[in-house]
Amino acid sequence: MQPNRLHIAIIASWYPSDDQPFYGIFVEEQALILKRNGHRVVVFYPYLNGDFKTFLKGNKKKVETRRRNGVDVIEMPQNIYFPKAKEVFISLLIKKTLKCFKRYSEKEGSPNIIHSHSAFMGGIIG
């Protein structure tokens, strides 16, 4: 790693996507500013996805890494299958995120800084 260059992981509660282009744009702006200043940035984006109707339709999302404006974004959706069991799915999402973070760290090295935004979900997991 270059001198003064940090490896920064951001755990975001919201992040823009094609479906939600303005969702969490302040987090994306922060990631882009850090990247422009020479830092290595990765965004972990854990979120609860869907509801019981989504489950019945079979519209499940999986963990996916995508590149948005030059920043790697690891999306970790936790599909909700049963109504009124949100705590169970939050617990599963935390475990999924920690597993993804461990796998990322083993492959890419541990970040120097972990920064989270907001209390839910980024702050809880951070």
Side-chain angles (χ1 to χ4, degrees), residues 4 6 19-21 35 39 41 56 67-68 74 76 93 99 101 105 112-113 120 125:
N4 299 323
L6 297 174
D19 296 338
Q20 300 281 344
K35 184 167 179 55
H39 301 292
V41 180
L56 291 176
R67 197 163 192 73
R68 183 174 165 93
I74 302 171
M76 293 158 287
L93 181 58
K99 183 178 176 181
F101 185 82
S105 295
N112 301 102
I113 295 173
F120 189 75
I125 293 171

Side-chain angles (χ1 to χ4, degrees), residues 56-105:
L56 291 176
K57 291 178 184 176
N59 297 331
K60 297 188 321 181
K61 290 188 175 184
K62 296 182 179 184
V63 173
E64 178 182 356
T65 300
R66 63 185 170 96
R67 197 163 192 73
R68 183 174 165 93
N69 296 323
V71 174
D72 287 331
V73 180
I74 302 171
E75 293 183 355
M76 293 158 287
Q78 175 56 57
N79 298 293
I80 296 175
Y81 303 116
F82 304 108
K84 302 189 184 204
K86 194 172 186 176
E87 295 80 17
V88 171
F89 295 106
I90 290 171
S91 178
L92 291 171
L93 181 58
I94 291 169
K95 289 176 185 175
K96 180 184 285 187
T97 304
L98 294 174
K99 183 178 176 181
C100 286
F101 185 82
K102 182 179 179 187
R103 191 177 314 127
Y104 172 85
S105 295

Side-chain angles (χ1 to χ4, degrees), residues 4-8 31 33-41:
N4 299 323
R5 181 179 167 182
L6 297 174
H7 183 182
I8 301 169
I33 289 167
L34 289 167
K35 184 167 179 55
R36 272 186 242 133
N37 282 287
H39 301 292
R40 183 175 167 200
V41 180

Side-chain angles (χ1 to χ4, degrees), residues 107-126:
K107 184 178 176 187
E108 302 293 334
S110 295
N112 301 102
I113 295 173
I114 300 171
H115 174 70
S116 63
H117 269 283
S118 189
F120 189 75
M121 283 307 299
I124 290 171
I125 293 171

